[in-house]
Amino acid sequence: MKNKFVNVEDTRISITELMLPAHANFSGKIHGGYVLNLMDQIAFACASKHSATYCVTASVDTVDFLNPIEVGELVTMRASINFVGKTSMVVGIRVESQNIQTGKVNHCNSSYFTMVAKDENGKGKAVPGIIINDEIEMRRFLKAVKRIEMKKKRQEEFDSKDFIAHNYIKDLEAYNVKIEL
């Protein structure tokens, strides 16, 4: 699959669903866990469409709930492949709600799911590359690269055997924390 490439446009997928009272939490808003479940489904569909194989969720990055979703609203999720590695893909997802009566649309969430393609034995499977056709697609790809680099750097710094907690005490002075080492 080394030479196969797919246009980002061809990876795009969307779903729209009516939010029902059964999806609401105790405050009457749509439960965040339900939204996350839908996001995981569209990430799977998008990654599987791109890779033409079964995919699993490896990680989820940046889940910020920006606006609540009301019962009776339509929720639309749009996803596309933002980045590909050897066997992994970053799926960018945008969640919007629409009030059916007023037509008002709210941006509720944007998130990034890292999905891994699997073969029939559960091993990582190579995925096609993507063809970037505009600056937005390039920006999304580069932002994914930067998130991956930052995550690796953070893991190296804090998961290392060389981590010394006392070196960070000064960094925590501005926060609502009491250190008792």
Side-chain angles (χ1 to χ4, degrees):
M1 205 171 291
K2 190 173 186 176
N3 295 326
K4 184 173 181 188
F5 291 88
V6 176
N7 280 298
V8 171
E9 176 65 32
D10 295 331
T11 74
R12 290 197 171 98
I13 192 167
S14 66
I15 59 170
T16 301
E17 185 171 325
L18 175 66
M19 295 295 103
L20 303 173
H23 305 141
N25 60 24
F26 295 115
S27 68
K29 308 297 183 201
I30 299 306
H31 195 285
Y34 184 74
V35 175
L36 286 170
N37 179 51
L38 291 175
M39 292 170 73
D40 192 47
Q41 289 177 41
I42 196 169
F44 168 82
C46 183
S48 294
K49 178 182 178 184
H50 176 74
S51 65
T53 192
Y54 181 76
C55 296
V56 296
T57 306
S59 68
V60 180
D61 189 11
T62 314
V63 179
D64 294 322
F65 292 96
L66 306 173
N67 288 295
I69 301 170
E70 305 288 339
V71 171
E73 291 185 326
L74 292 175
V75 168
T76 299
M77 296 187 183
R78 293 178 180 82
S80 65
I81 300 296
N82 287 1
F83 169 87
V84 294
K86 182 180 173 191
T87 63
S88 66
M89 300 150 279
V90 174
V91 178
I93 303 170
R94 181 179 174 94
V95 180
E96 294 177 339
S97 66
Q98 181 179 18
N99 182 301
I100 303 171
Q101 296 170 325
T102 67
K104 183 178 182 204
V105 175
N106 279 321
H107 177 206
C108 300
N109 186 317
S110 287
S111 190
Y112 308 97
F113 279 58
T114 300
M115 307 297 289
V116 177
K118 297 290 185 171
D119 67 15
E120 56 280 347
N121 298 314
K123 303 290 183 198
K125 183 176 179 181
V127 299
I130 58 172
I131 300 168
I132 294 172
N133 288 302
D134 61 36
E135 287 185 19
I136 293 171
E137 293 170 358
M138 181 180 281
R139 182 174 54 219
R140 289 175 179 163
F141 190 94
L142 290 169
K143 283 174 72 174
V145 168
K146 294 296 183 184
R147 278 193 308 277
I148 292 165
E149 289 173 355
M150 288 186 333
K151 182 178 181 179
K152 285 179 183 175
K153 185 176 178 182
R154 188 172 55 246
Q155 287 173 332
E156 288 170 3
E157 181 177 359
F158 294 105
D159 295 347
S160 165
K161 288 186 252 176
D162 301 327
F163 176 80
I164 300 170
H166 288 289
N167 292 346
Y168 293 88
I169 290 175
K170 200 127 182 91
D171 295 340
L172 299 176
E173 288 176 354
Y175 297 94
N176 188 18
V177 62
K178 181 178 179 181
I179 312 271
E180 294 182 349
L181 297 178

